Amino acid sequence: MRHAIHNAFKSTAELVIPVRSSSAFKEKGVLTPDEFVAAGDLLVSSCPTWSWEAGEVSKKRSYLPDDKQYLVTRNIPCVCRAKDLLAGKLEEELVGAGGDGGDEDGEAWVSTGGPGTRAGQEEEEIADMSLADDVAGKLSLAEGEGSAAGAGEQDEAEAQADTNNGGSGGDDDDDDDIPDMEDFVVEEEDDTVTIQPRAVAKATGEEAGAAAGGDDKILRTRTYDLSVTYDKYYQTPRFWLIGYDESRQLLKPELALEDVSAEHAEKTVTIDVHPHLPLSSASIHPCKHAHVMKRLVDNLSEGGKEPSVELYLVIFLKFIASIVPT
């Protein structure tokens, strides 16, 4: 209820308050719309995965260019939930002096092979990369001398393979390294002959079935479309998460909280209507953005690095990464 009342007040206030026209980037950590566009242009040019979008025409903000209403980057994978990431960190084994692997100086480090890691599981899930898989990407004979000539070359190759198999007296390891031509099939189409490993041909024919069975060795994850808008009331950027589940179905905004650190999930993340799209989305509430950005800019200035306003969004996204760690 409190959040709904605040949204109503904020929407009303945005109708009457003027658009900021004077720069207060260093003094207050806020942006004018022109500075937001300049910072967005630098982000797009330095990181091409980000792009400008126009959004819904009915939701266009007059103080921003028509084709630069907000920024977006799409299909960002999210492999695990935030709580799982935290659990993995807690299970890391700290190896200290006097323990296995400790050194004489008493230094300690984190063991990466403990029960909290997924290394062993991932190794088991990696598909076998056989010699036939390498051959599949190389054996393609395009524009041959005709289907008959291609078939003749195949017969000759098979005969040579039979000779090698019959007369070979070497050890078995060498024989295993030589692909058997019987493992390959010939696909004839007009005047083109293509040789493929039999395993590849079988997989092509059963692709739909394998996908339905979930045994195609493809790791399916949640994905997110991340967007950054300009908030007129707070005069800062605002970060939005639009999620999709493993089947590319739109994720309920509430479920996006699973991918936000627990420290912020119920405090700074809210569910609101996206200002440029016809849907609700999880968002990092901008009420503290100006304060945090001013502190970050001050820290950089004290360290001898005077950031320009064009770097605002680069610094802003580094700050957001601490809230959305996955």
Side-chain angles (χ1 to χ4, degrees), residues 20-280:
R20 170 170 284 277
S21 58
S22 59
S23 178
F25 162 60
K26 295 180 181 179
E27 295 80 3
K28 297 181 179 180
V30 296
L31 290 178
T32 67
D34 290 341
E35 289 174 334
F36 173 74
V37 172
D41 286 342
L42 178 65
L43 178 65
V44 170
S45 63
S46 60
C47 187
T49 56
W50 286 91
S51 62
W52 284 107
E53 291 289 329
E56 294 284 311
V57 176
S58 60
K59 296 191 172 192
K60 182 180 68 174
R61 269 43 177 182
S62 59
Y63 46 83
L64 292 170
D66 291 349
D67 59 343
K68 295 182 178 181
Q69 292 285 302
Y70 71 101
L71 292 152
V72 64
T73 182
R74 294 185 170 87
N75 298 323
I76 304 302
C78 183
V79 179
C80 63
R81 309 286 73 80
K83 63 178 181 180
D84 296 331
L85 184 64
L86 177 62
K89 289 182 178 179
L90 293 177
E91 290 178 6
E92 288 176 340
E93 178 183 2
L94 184 64
V95 180
D100 294 339
D103 57 21
E104 297 178 355
D105 297 332
E107 295 182 353
W109 61 90
V110 174
S111 173
T112 59
T117 66
R118 290 173 47 91
Q121 299 176 11
E122 291 177 352
E123 289 178 0
E124 294 178 358
E125 295 173 357
I126 296 177
D128 181 22
M129 301 300 290
S130 64
L131 181 61
D133 293 330
D134 292 335
V135 176
K138 301 177 181 178
L139 291 180
S140 179
L141 305 178
E143 300 298 333
E145 296 296 333
S147 59
E153 290 176 4
Q154 175 64 14
D155 292 338
E156 182 180 349
E158 291 180 351
Q160 182 64 34
D162 292 337
T163 302
N164 292 340
N165 292 336
S168 176
D171 64 36
D172 294 336
D173 292 341
D174 292 339
D175 292 342
D176 292 339
D177 292 337
I178 301 175
D180 190 347
M181 293 304 295
E182 292 182 357
D183 291 338
F184 296 89
V185 296
V186 179
E187 296 180 357
E188 299 184 9
E189 182 177 354
D190 298 331
D191 292 335
T192 301
V193 178
T194 302
I195 301 177
Q196 288 186 340
R198 194 174 300 276
V200 175
K202 182 179 179 181
T204 301
E206 299 178 357
E207 181 177 357
D215 193 26
D216 52 6
K217 303 299 182 182
I218 297 177
L219 178 62
R220 290 181 169 81
T221 68
R222 282 185 183 180
T223 56
Y224 281 91
D225 291 349
L226 310 177
S227 59
V228 178
T229 62
Y230 180 78
D231 192 287
K232 180 183 177 183
Y233 183 81
Y234 291 103
Q235 301 170 357
T236 64
R238 185 170 184 175
F239 187 81
W240 302 80
L241 302 97
I242 301 174
Y244 301 88
D245 64 17
E246 292 77 0
S247 301
R248 288 297 297 169
Q249 299 298 314
L250 195 62
L251 199 67
K252 291 182 178 180
E254 293 78 7
L255 295 179
L257 297 178
E258 299 175 350
D259 297 317
V260 178
S261 64
E263 180 182 357
H264 301 90
E266 299 297 338
K267 298 178 181 178
T268 60
V269 180
T270 59
I271 309 298
D272 292 304
V273 177
H274 194 284
H276 298 285
L277 297 173
L279 50 78
S280 293

Side-chain angles (χ1 to χ4, degrees), residues 253-324:
E254 293 78 7
L255 295 179
L257 297 178
E258 299 175 350
D259 297 317
V260 178
S261 64
E263 180 182 357
H264 301 90
E266 299 297 338
K267 298 178 181 178
T268 60
V269 180
T270 59
I271 309 298
D272 292 304
V273 177
H274 194 284
H276 298 285
L277 297 173
L279 50 78
S280 293
S281 170
S283 172
I284 312 300
H285 200 272
C287 58
K288 302 292 184 180
H289 285 1
H291 172 73
V292 173
M293 288 301 298
K294 182 182 184 304
R295 187 174 61 185
L296 292 176
V297 170
D298 289 344
N299 290 341
L300 289 173
S301 299
E302 292 172 1
K305 298 179 180 179
E306 196 73 22
S308 65
V309 69
E310 287 81 10
L311 290 173
Y312 189 105
L313 286 178
V314 175
I315 302 171
F316 174 76
L317 290 176
K318 290 182 178 294
F319 151 61
I320 292 296
S322 65
I323 302 177
V324 189

